[in-house]
Amino acid sequence: MGSGSQLLVVALLAAGVLVASARIRSDREAHGLPTRFGHLAWTLALAVLPITMVATLSGRFDPSGLRAWMVAIALAIAVVLAIRPGLAPRLVPAGLILLGVASIVLARAYLLAAPPSALPASVVALPGPSGGSVRPGLDAATPAGLWATGPGLALVQAYLFVLLGGWLAWRSADPLLSRARHLLDRVTGLAPRAQFRALLLLPVVIMAAELFIPGRWYSPASVALWFLPFLGAAVVVLRRWPGAAGRLAVLGVLLLGLSGIVLAMTFQYGNAPSEYGLVVMAARSSPGLVAGEALVLLAFGAWLAPQTFPSARRLLRLPPDPELTRQVQQLTDSRAVAVDTAAGDLRQLERDLHDGAQARLVALGMSLRAAERLIPVNPDAAIALVAEARDTSARALTELRELVRGVHPPVLADRGLSDAVRALALDCPLDVQTHIDLPGRPAAPVETACYFAVAELLTNAAKHSGAREACIDVGHSDGRLRIEVTDFGLGGADPAAGGGLAGVEKRLAAFDGIMAISSPAGGPTIVVLEVPCALSSPKTSSC
Amino acid sequence: MRAVVAEDQFLLRDGLTRLLEAHGFEIAAAVADAPALLQELLHNPPDVAIVDVRLPPTFTDDGLRAAIDARRAVPGLPVLVLSQYVEQLYARELLADRAGGIGYLLKDRVFNDDQFVDAIKAVAAGGTVMDQEVVAKLLRRQARRETLARLSAREREVLELMAEGRSNIAIAQRLFVSEKAVSKHSTSIFAKLDLAPSDDDNRRVLAVLAYLNG
């Protein structure tokens, strides 16, 4: 094995990562349901990793022994994945990160005066940083071998592994990893996009430390002394000023890129200090690689900077962040709808009161006044008028009751969303089953919006679907209220046709809520509503 | 007949008290909140209680819950629940114990004092009185329509009025038929709803429940 196998490993890795990322995308689309193609892709991606890992830590194996190990491990992985395919999306990012970290640790050990005795003999016997030849028999494809042939490539590869593993973990839809992301959300209190930039601070700090720790001071104690303050400071900044951490990280990426170019040029064109850290040594042995890495870092920083520093965006005359523009547009739209709806509702309320209860009260007063006059003259007619007045007041009450129900249904005020939805189900002409599991109550405006949404959906189902039965599921998880209304009717409901469904969608948008409809011809029609909201503590008493 | 009135609005409480006294009821207590009502119902159960759904302290369904709690302790304690609006959900909860002696009416029904007093008396006698609005909503239910399809149109009318708590005499007057005809219809209703013969009042309650619960 030589540079050919090295290329093979890199190619396999690249292919594995490509399919793995494709798999992650399909994962997200299919709600994490495994596909046959996805399995194959993961297996391929995964098989490469432990093989390289073993190669990393077993430099002393002869090539034929190594091949036997690779085949055995690849078989073992295939068996494990056949039994537990769900493990694949967790193992790949974990494997990449471990591999990168192992490679960095190995580099440390290689440069330390006294490497741990547990390391393979070949690593210990490697020539020092001042140069020399690679020991025959050492596989150049392994990171240990790489360290001997080109520290620059090894360093790039190590960080590449860590970054790729982190990125894959970041994008994965795997439940365990998403739980970890949620935990991170809570700990840092950052939006996921900002989080990624802020967390860049940690690798940037480590790389910066690598750059500046003098090589002649390498010993476990001095490394700890150098690294711990750097890491401690980074963690404090991350926790206290997460926004600033993102900016520092981006600045750090740019500075590292610049210093890499300076270093590479120094070694290319003149003398340089010999006693500096890993990056410096890498630059000495392979200035081209370090310059390449520096260019990648600069490009990365240039891509990140306009997102982190809005002024950079203006300076570069770039259009505003499309994601932010979209959000602003969405907020403007939903706010306009909310305001319009509220104003429209008030107008309607005024009209209903004016034409209904108010008019009836006027009639009531007139009837009573007429009766008052008739009492001495024609008592029978007076009695008839009073009876009429009573009817009028009853009608006024009925109208007021309908109005109140339309403004804020009493059962919703009394009992909250759960019982209000049950009441809707009972009032519906269809036979409606309810499955409601809400441990507390959402905020009042969300409750009201959801109530009217369900009322609208049930009315639609009763009017248009031709269904005899329907069912409503209400639940809350991951900070989202989810309502599913299903009718077993003809299907073919179309929100684009305007009317009720579009109205429901617009009103929910004011709470960042969304609506999804599945209504194939022949039914059933399933409408799902999701609104992000927290629940208040459960009610203490209810009958 | 001893009655307890629970209503937080003074004007209505006063009006109800006077209306009941005018019809020969003895007002044992007129209370303004749910804890006082529960206290009264548990320690000195009246012949009938007239209770507003919405009462202090929380101004939600305190009155309803107090009524249900009291009936849990004193089964069959006659309670007529009044409200500005009627909910089938609440009607179901009130009927759940199947003990009879329960009524659920819109406050508007007070306007017709004769019918209102008849309803109170029906409840006090162990009958079941549901507001015509509850009954009308139930009729809209398709599934229920099929369950009750076995009944003739006239029989359904009789059952509807029965659910509103009317006596055979009142039903006969309302439908312009003889009382005998009404009793024939009700016997037929009981038979079609598979209600075993027992004392008439109990069967009326069961028929109404069968009707209300589909």
Side-chain angles (χ1 to χ4, degrees):
Chain A
M1 298 172 98
S3 59
S5 64
Q6 187 173 325
L7 276 176
L8 185 72
V9 167
V10 172
L12 271 176
L13 253 179
V17 167
L18 273 180
V19 240
S21 61
R23 162 86 180 111
I24 282 171
R25 220 169 298 134
S26 70
D27 229 17
R28 283 171 170 255
E29 278 155 20
H31 300 286
L33 293 176
T35 60
R36 196 164 294 178
F37 174 73
H39 278 182
L40 194 69
W42 277 116
T43 315
L44 269 175
L46 198 58
V48 177
L49 291 171
I51 294 168
T52 326
M53 278 282 245
V54 168
T56 300
L57 297 171
S58 58
R60 65 180 155 191
F61 286 115
D62 58 88
S64 62
L66 202 58
R67 266 192 290 277
W69 269 100
M70 287 180 172
V71 171
I73 290 166
L75 274 177
I77 295 163
V79 170
V80 167
L81 280 185
I83 300 168
R84 294 285 306 275
L87 283 177
R90 289 176 199 174
L91 288 183
V92 172
L96 272 170
I97 293 172
L98 272 177
L99 193 59
V101 171
S103 185
I104 294 171
V105 167
L106 201 66
R108 294 251 80 80
Y110 162 68
L111 286 160
L112 288 178
S117 53
L119 276 170
S122 55
V123 177
V124 182
L126 277 171
S130 50
S133 62
V134 186
R135 207 178 88 149
L138 184 74
D139 189 349
T142 67
L146 278 178
W147 275 108
T149 51
L153 186 60
L155 195 68
V156 172
Q157 186 186 312
Y159 283 115
L160 205 67
F161 283 177
V162 176
L163 278 177
L164 270 178
W167 182 75
L168 282 179
W170 196 263
R171 298 288 308 272
S172 169
D174 182 73
L176 188 78
L177 294 173
S178 9
R179 265 209 298 283
R181 272 200 304 274
H182 278 155
L183 193 74
L184 211 60
D185 284 347
R186 272 213 295 281
V187 171
T188 58
L190 285 173
R193 270 165 61 88
Q195 221 178 58
F196 184 70
R197 261 169 274 151
L199 285 179
L200 263 182
L201 190 63
L202 288 175
V204 166
V205 161
I206 296 174
M207 284 168 92
E210 295 281 9
L211 185 61
F212 294 113
I213 302 172
R216 59 166 176 226
W217 287 355
Y218 278 137
S219 74
S222 75
V223 168
L225 260 176
W226 272 98
F227 269 89
L228 286 180
F230 271 92
L231 274 179
V235 169
V236 168
V237 169
L238 255 178
R239 290 279 340 226
R240 288 294 304 273
W241 305 283
R247 294 175 174 209
L248 273 178
V250 174
L251 279 180
V253 168
L254 286 170
L255 281 176
L256 277 173
L258 278 175
S259 65
I261 287 183
V262 171
L263 269 174
M265 286 170 73
T266 317
F267 281 106
Q268 195 73 3
Y269 298 113
N271 305 327
S274 60
E275 71 275 24
Y276 285 110
L278 281 179
V279 179
V280 181
M281 284 185 313
R284 190 169 57 190
S285 66
S286 41
L289 259 169
V290 169
E293 185 200 43
L295 283 175
V296 169
L297 279 172
L298 272 179
F300 186 48
W303 176 68
L304 278 176
Q307 301 179 34
T308 316
F309 299 94
S311 46
R313 200 164 261 287
R314 277 200 299 279
L315 210 67
L316 297 170
R317 293 183 177 275
L318 287 173
D321 186 347
E323 173 68 11
L324 284 179
T325 313
R326 200 187 57 77
Q327 273 181 15
V328 168
Q329 189 56 44
Q330 192 189 340
L331 285 174
T332 313
D333 289 351
S334 65
R335 191 182 60 171
V337 168
V339 171
D340 280 357
T341 314
D345 287 351
L346 278 180
R347 259 198 313 279
Q348 184 63 41
L349 188 64
E350 188 271 336
R351 210 172 298 143
D352 288 348
L353 280 173
H354 180 268
D355 298 347
Q358 251 176 349
R360 299 225 184 272
L361 285 176
V362 172
L364 187 67
M366 281 160 61
S367 296
L368 286 174
R369 174 72 189 125
E372 201 180 349
R373 281 206 190 130
L374 278 173
I375 287 171
V377 197
N378 187 350
D380 285 346
I383 289 174
L385 268 177
V386 170
E388 194 187 305
R390 201 179 57 184
D391 280 352
T392 308
S393 77
R395 273 200 293 276
L397 265 180
T398 309
E399 283 169 12
L400 281 174
R401 191 158 43 238
E402 291 306 315
L403 272 183
V404 167
R405 212 182 268 281
V407 173
H408 191 68
V411 66
L412 185 62
D414 290 356
R415 296 284 185 84
L417 188 60
S418 306
D419 272 355
V421 167
R422 284 189 191 103
L424 276 178
L426 284 172
D427 282 351
C428 180
L430 307 179
D431 209 352
V432 186
Q433 300 279 324
T434 53
H435 310 279
I436 301 177
D437 180 21
L438 283 184
R441 286 182 68 166
V446 175
E447 256 190 345
T448 310
C450 290
Y451 174 87
F452 284 115
V454 173
E456 180 68 39
L457 294 177
L458 283 182
T459 309
N460 268 353
K463 259 197 219 158
H464 308 301
S465 76
R468 290 151 46 95
E469 285 169 22
C471 82
I472 307 177
D473 282 271
V474 182
H476 186 273
S477 62
D478 285 337
R480 299 180 79 78
L481 176 68
R482 185 187 154 89
I483 301 175
E484 195 174 311
V485 179
T486 309
D487 73 61
F488 304 97
L490 302 171
D494 182 14
L501 286 174
V504 167
E505 191 166 24
K506 274 188 191 163
R507 280 169 191 245
L508 285 184
F511 302 93
D512 286 336
I514 49 168
M515 179 178 84
I517 299 182
S518 155
S519 184
T525 299
I526 304 174
V527 182
V528 179
L529 313 173
E530 270 197 11
V531 185
C533 71
L535 294 184
S536 66
S537 56
K539 254 175 88 173
T540 44
S541 70
S542 171
C543 55
Chain B
M1 200 182 282
R2 289 178 65 253
V4 165
V5 173
E7 164 65 61
D8 57 317
Q9 283 170 328
F10 172 76
L11 279 178
L12 274 175
R13 186 169 67 240
D14 196 46
L16 270 177
T17 307
R18 272 190 288 156
L19 187 150
L20 290 176
E21 275 171 349
H23 283 84
F25 286 86
E26 179 201 336
I27 303 301
V31 298
D33 62 62
L37 170 67
L38 199 57
Q39 184 82 3
E40 194 64 36
L41 293 184
L42 293 181
H43 294 106
N44 199 4
D47 295 323
V48 67
I50 294 111
V51 176
D52 184 11
V53 166
R54 186 168 287 190
L55 282 182
T58 69
F59 289 100
T60 59
D61 57 346
D62 301 60
L64 181 82
R65 278 185 279 152
I68 290 171
D69 288 350
R71 280 166 62 84
R72 205 170 286 142
V74 187
L77 176 74
V79 177
L80 176 67
V81 174
L82 289 181
S83 177
Q84 290 286 14
Y85 59 97
V86 288
E87 283 292 344
Q88 288 189 67
L89 185 75
Y90 294 177
R92 277 188 173 224
E93 288 175 6
L94 287 168
L95 291 168
D97 62 5
R98 296 187 162 249
I102 197 78
Y104 185 35
L105 289 181
L106 276 177
K107 277 189 179 169
D108 315 17
R109 309 300 171 216
V110 181
F111 290 176
N112 192 331
D113 54 351
D114 289 333
Q115 272 186 25
F116 181 60
V117 168
D118 282 349
I120 299 179
K121 285 181 178 157
V123 169
T128 302
V129 176
M130 283 295 126
D131 196 275
Q132 61 201 50
E133 198 173 301
V134 176
V135 176
K137 275 182 184 167
L138 284 163
L139 270 181
R140 281 173 36 212
R141 202 94 189 235
Q142 284 165 0
R144 195 148 295 128
R145 260 185 237 158
E146 284 153 28
T147 322
L148 296 170
R150 281 175 281 177
L151 303 184
S152 71
R154 185 35 71 93
E155 281 163 358
R156 243 176 294 161
E157 272 181 310
V158 172
L159 180 58
E160 217 175 306
L161 290 166
M162 227 187 257
E164 287 170 22
R166 289 171 213 268
S167 65
N168 278 4
I169 306 171
I171 296 173
Q173 278 170 357
R174 179 75 175 265
L175 297 179
F176 304 108
V177 294
S178 70
E179 197 191 332
K180 213 171 149 195
V182 173
S183 101
K184 219 180 84 194
H185 283 313
S186 49
T187 314
S188 161
I189 293 169
F190 299 151
K192 285 181 178 174
L193 295 179
D194 297 326
L195 297 172
S198 65
D199 75 287
D200 198 48
D201 267 357
N202 193 31
R203 277 206 294 174
R204 282 178 91 91
V205 171
L206 291 176
V208 167
L209 287 176
Y211 175 61
L212 289 176
N213 290 321

